[in-house]
Amino acid sequence: MEDSKSDFHISFFKPTTEYARKNRNMVIWLVCVWAVAIFGFQIALYILEKPTPEDSFLKYDATWSQVKSGEATVSEMQDFSYAALSVLGKVFIQPQHKTALDNALSWSVFQIADSSQQAMIMAEIVNFETLAANITDIRDEAYQQSKLKLIAMVSPILGLSETDVRTKILPLELVSASVNSLSDEDIVLIEEAMPLYLIHNQSVLTDTKFLGFPFHYFYTAVFLLILFVVLCLIYCVRTDKINTRLNIVD
């Protein structure tokens, strides 16, 4: 006697019942809405974006040819230093770019300063480097005093105001070993770094503010989350209606 077997065949793409067909159609529709909301926005960002330089890049671009040729005026050297500090203040910067910009900044300071200033600045940079290498706590009084002294000495030379946030990192970026010249390697790295860190792809979707957020932040962090919850709610409500229509009782 042969065993009777029940053959259950369930396929999402080939539903065999009206309920399964309605459920499939609804799931496909909801997934399509979700996909368009995510990938459509990314495509729109890509289509609308255009490279937009920061003000610091414009300063760099206007002065760099004179700086690397050694023919820059004091004002041009200050603008270049401003741009270099703008990059050095960023959170993520590749080590080789940081080294090149540190060297260029230190060289720029000594190009602007007169001989008496150069001697005092060099002595304080060496002192600060020694303190920085030996401290265990950045609140160390001697370290902090040396840092403030360097800021006070170098900020006026670079034309930085006391309230400019760039002055806070200035002592950390000056190096005593690279004040006499700007190497060819540093020049190549600087030309690579400046557009990398100071030119950004922007569009109306990134520049528009909505509820205090850049619109693309709001869209990806808030709107898509709300949309996901709404789609889940729609699925639940529609499923209940389908069950009622087909007399299906859970």
Side-chain angles (χ1 to χ4, degrees), residues 89-205:
K90 294 183 181 294
V91 176
F92 299 107
I93 176 172
Q94 296 181 28
Q96 68 272 24
H97 293 153
K98 183 179 186 304
T99 299
L101 288 168
D102 282 346
N103 293 341
L105 177 65
S106 304
W107 173 76
S108 298
V109 169
F110 277 74
Q111 291 296 301
I112 301 171
D114 59 38
S115 57
S116 61
Q117 290 174 319
Q118 289 175 359
M120 291 188 294
I121 293 171
M122 175 59 77
E124 196 56 45
I125 291 176
V126 171
N127 180 51
F128 182 77
E129 288 176 336
T130 302
L131 290 170
N134 292 288
I135 63 168
T136 57
D137 187 344
I138 61 171
R139 294 171 296 183
D140 181 84
E141 184 177 353
Y143 172 83
Q144 289 296 329
Q145 287 180 350
S146 179
K147 182 178 179 181
L148 292 173
K149 188 175 181 180
L150 265 178
I151 292 174
M153 293 170 65
V154 178
S155 294
I157 293 174
L158 296 181
L160 299 174
S161 67
E162 294 180 357
T163 57
D164 194 322
V165 69
R166 292 167 185 80
T167 61
K168 305 301 181 183
I169 65 167
L170 186 52
L172 306 175
E173 309 303 340
L174 296 173
V175 288
S176 59
S178 303
V179 298
N180 295 322
S181 63
L182 191 62
S183 70
D184 291 339
E185 182 182 359
D186 287 338
I187 289 174
V188 171
L189 287 170
I190 290 168
E191 291 177 344
E192 177 184 293
M194 299 305 266
L196 177 63
Y197 299 106
L198 295 177
I199 297 180
H200 314 284
N201 290 323
Q202 294 179 225
S203 69
V204 64
L205 297 177

Side-chain angles (χ1 to χ4, degrees), residues 29-39 223-225 227-228 231:
W29 178 77
L30 293 174
V31 169
C32 287
V33 171
W34 182 243
V36 169
I38 294 177
F39 298 108
F223 176 77
L224 287 180
L225 178 61
L227 178 62
F228 180 78
L231 292 178

